[in-house]
Amino acid sequence: MIQAIQLILALSFLVLIHELGHFTFARIFHVRVEKFYMFFNPRFSLLRVKKIEGKWHVKFFAKNEDPEWEAHPENTEWGIGWLPFGGYCAIAGMVDETHSTDDLASEPQEWEFRSKPAWQRLLIILGGILVNFLGALVIFSMLLWQYGQDTLPLRNVTTGLYYSEIMVNEGFEQQDRILSIDGEEPETLSDVVESLIIEGKRDVVVLRGADTVALTMSEDLGTRYLAQQNAFDKAEREKRRADRNYEKRRFVLMAEWIPAVVDSVFPDNAAYYAGMQKGDSIVAVNGVPTPSNVQMTEELQRHPCDSVTIDFYRADEKHTARLFIGDQCKIGVSIRWNIFELEHKEYSFLEAIPAGVQYGWDILAMYVKQFRLVFTKEGAQSLGGFGAIGSMFPSFWSWYAFWHMTGFLSIILAFMNFLPIPALDGGYILFLLVEMITRRKPSDKFLERANEIGFWLLLALLIFANGNDILKLFF
């Protein structure tokens, strides 16, 4: 429920500022905006507000048709619809989802979109994209100003990294320390994942003990990673369906190598009754060596609702305990994970602005790079709709996490709207650029047909993405 609330609030906020971008530029160029709605309102609206002859009129749960209100088209009608899938800004004289060519049969008026120069129409269309992108930069800047930034430099991870099976098959060995990728030193673990999976870089140099080893990644590493992640997620969904109390895990490609040292023991749990204590170092589960926290967790996951033997050291003395673990496959301890030195940086208000701009630009660049994976079979299977987006929010309320995710979605919304697909802002931008170059304006009928095609393409994509979410619930 908390994830759903965060998703609705974030998308509502992003749609609102997107449409305000169109509205603002339309009013700058004296173009009438007939309606401004949060959510869609087929047949009736939850709320309708309009200024008529100097007085504000408000209606709740009212039908959309109102001859009295329609007699005053010079003022914008504000409202909230009942269908929570976005919103719209109905601009006079524009062929879009709110107007057809039949609505534009009369001669163009000076206050209509179609009467304005191409460069003004271009700015009106760009308004939504610009506001979404700039809004994300503002969000990131304010987060840096309020919270600062914590990073874990890869050079501080002195124990090396844990590598999943797919990376071991690429030639990595456990606790290898990555020195460079294509000749450049990665700053953080996320930089490593971005370079290898998203950008497809291949030449890696690692420190293995005292030796320096060169590795060459496979060309299809990115798609194989997606395939393995899809298979992992499917297995996790099956476990979840078999046991509604099962806590779904996330696929770990690489992680910091953290020894399984107990930081605290939870009362009334298996480890508590076995006499385990803070500082115990877990080294094996059922005789299988588990020198890292990830390996211990993976081995425990293989024995739900079963008894396991835990080997651990306390003050250089080896101990063995037999524990019964439940369906969550946990023994009731927290692991000491903060063994590496984080770098925290505080920002003044003026320092946070350029840092936030750079942060937002880096996110956009990363998203554009990974977009190529969408056009692969594995990438298409990974596409998700509202359910997948909602799962990206935490299951608890955090203002930092909420605004950070909202900024991220704002970047995505700006990029997706910039794609040259009819019915999206990018489609209008493409036609306007063609008009500015050729000095010939596409006919309203052509724009209407193009928008219809674009609408059905977007609807198909929406059904496919949300269909993936639905299929993942049952298969």
Side-chain angles (χ1 to χ4, degrees):
M1 181 61 69
I2 293 177
Q3 288 177 315
I5 291 173
Q6 291 180 89
L7 174 65
I8 293 172
L9 288 177
L11 292 182
S12 299
F13 171 75
L14 295 179
V15 169
L16 177 65
I17 64 172
H18 180 88
E19 298 303 334
L20 277 175
H22 295 309
F23 176 87
T24 301
F25 277 95
R27 299 307 298 141
I28 287 174
F29 299 125
H30 306 290
V31 175
R32 285 183 184 175
V33 178
E34 298 168 348
K35 294 184 178 183
F36 187 102
Y37 265 76
M38 171 63 67
F39 307 144
F40 291 108
N41 61 326
R43 300 183 68 89
F44 74 96
S45 306
L46 298 180
L47 173 67
R48 300 178 67 205
V49 180
K50 189 170 186 176
K51 192 174 185 179
I52 300 176
E53 296 179 350
K55 294 183 179 180
W56 286 100
H57 294 247
V58 180
K59 292 185 177 182
F60 296 95
F61 302 99
K63 291 184 178 180
N64 296 331
E65 296 78 16
D66 192 322
E68 180 185 359
W69 285 28
E70 293 170 2
H72 299 274
E74 69 279 1
N75 293 328
T76 302
E77 177 184 325
W78 305 83
I80 300 176
W82 58 269
L83 192 60
F85 291 112
Y88 67 92
C89 178
I91 298 175
M94 178 179 176
V95 178
D96 58 8
E97 67 274 13
T98 64
H99 295 99
S100 66
T101 53
D102 295 337
D103 299 319
L104 307 179
S106 61
E107 289 295 317
Q109 304 297 316
E110 61 177 6
W111 36 263
E112 289 186 320
F113 175 83
R114 55 180 171 166
S115 300
K116 300 301 178 180
W119 68 270
Q120 292 186 6
R121 284 181 278 134
L122 180 63
L123 286 177
I124 292 173
I125 297 300
L126 278 171
I129 297 174
L130 288 173
V131 169
N132 276 132
F133 183 65
L134 293 176
L137 301 185
V138 170
I139 289 173
F140 293 138
S141 296
M142 295 302 98
L143 287 177
L144 291 175
W145 177 44
Q146 287 295 313
Y147 298 95
Q149 186 176 31
D150 287 319
T151 58
L152 175 56
L154 210 54
R155 61 181 176 272
N156 290 359
V157 185
T158 55
T159 57
L161 299 178
Y162 162 82
Y163 298 94
S164 63
E165 181 181 359
I166 189 173
M167 301 308 292
V168 170
N169 292 337
E170 291 294 314
F172 288 99
E173 293 186 5
Q174 301 300 347
Q175 293 189 270
D176 279 351
R177 298 181 65 182
I178 297 177
L179 300 179
S180 67
I181 300 176
D182 280 6
E184 296 182 2
E185 180 185 359
E187 180 66 22
T188 64
L189 184 57
S190 61
D191 292 337
V192 174
V193 176
E194 180 179 348
S195 297
L196 299 182
I197 303 301
I198 298 176
E199 298 181 8
K201 294 181 178 180
R202 303 182 61 194
D203 296 325
V204 183
V205 177
V206 301
L207 181 64
R208 183 173 298 165
D211 300 325
T212 301
V213 181
L215 303 174
T216 302
M217 302 295 101
S218 304
E219 290 185 6
D220 62 343
L221 177 59
T223 54
R224 287 195 297 111
Y225 159 71
L226 289 177
Q228 187 164 340
Q229 184 181 49
N230 290 337
F232 177 87
D233 289 342
K234 182 178 181 181
E236 289 295 293
R237 291 194 300 271
E238 291 174 352
K239 294 176 183 177
R240 175 67 171 161
R241 284 194 293 272
D243 180 6
R244 299 303 298 175
N245 294 320
Y246 178 77
E247 186 174 328
K248 186 177 180 295
R249 300 175 299 158
R250 292 187 180 274
F251 179 70
V252 178
L253 178 68
M254 292 178 285
E256 296 85 4
W257 183 279
I258 300 178
V261 177
V262 176
D263 187 59
S264 62
V265 179
F266 302 134
D268 299 325
N269 273 276
Y272 174 81
Y273 292 116
M276 295 186 68
Q277 301 176 10
K278 179 178 180 178
D280 290 348
S281 180
I282 301 171
V283 295
V285 176
N286 277 356
V288 178
T290 56
S292 75
N293 177 42
V294 175
Q295 290 166 308
M296 181 199 71
T297 302
E298 289 181 342
E299 192 59 35
L300 289 173
Q301 289 285 342
R302 295 187 174 94
H303 306 281
C305 299
D306 197 2
S307 293
V308 296
T309 56
I310 302 293
D311 295 333
F312 59 94
Y313 278 88
R314 180 184 300 162
D316 297 328
E317 182 180 350
K318 186 177 180 180
H319 297 261
T320 299
R322 190 157 189 85
L323 292 73
F324 180 82
I325 59 176
D327 50 11
Q328 297 296 318
C329 299
K330 295 179 179 180
I331 62 175
V333 300
S334 65
I335 298 300
R336 187 180 300 164
W337 61 270
N338 55 343
I339 62 175
F340 307 115
E341 183 180 356
L342 295 174
E343 289 188 359
H344 179 78
K345 184 175 182 180
E346 293 286 343
Y347 293 88
S348 67
F349 179 78
L350 294 179
E351 291 173 335
I353 295 174
V357 170
Q358 184 62 53
Y359 188 82
W361 186 258
D362 289 343
I363 288 180
L364 176 61
M366 180 187 68
Y367 190 76
V368 172
K369 291 172 185 175
Q370 73 178 14
F371 197 68
R372 66 180 179 87
L373 296 175
V374 173
F375 300 99
T376 64
K377 176 184 176 181
E378 296 78 10
Q381 292 174 349
S382 300
L383 279 178
F386 295 116
I389 297 173
S391 67
M392 298 169 69
F393 287 93
S395 57
F396 56 91
W397 188 269
S398 164
W399 281 112
Y400 176 85
F402 170 77
W403 282 114
H404 189 274
M405 189 62 199
T406 300
F408 176 69
L409 291 177
S410 194
I411 292 282
I412 294 177
L413 184 61
F415 172 73
M416 295 300 293
N417 263 287
F418 194 70
L419 295 177
I421 300 174
L424 289 179
D425 292 344
Y428 290 102
I429 292 170
L430 175 63
F431 295 139
L432 282 167
L433 291 176
V434 170
E435 177 187 344
M436 295 171 73
I437 294 171
T438 63
R439 305 291 183 178
R440 295 184 61 183
K441 182 179 179 181
S443 68
D444 291 337
K445 201 66 178 177
F446 170 80
L447 293 176
E448 183 179 32
R449 291 289 178 265
N451 282 334
E452 289 176 356
I453 294 172
F455 172 79
W456 290 110
L457 286 174
L458 292 174
L459 182 61
L461 179 61
L462 188 66
I463 292 173
F464 178 80
N466 286 282
N468 271 350
D469 287 347
I470 295 173
L471 287 174
K472 289 173 183 178
L473 289 176
F474 301 100
F475 300 99

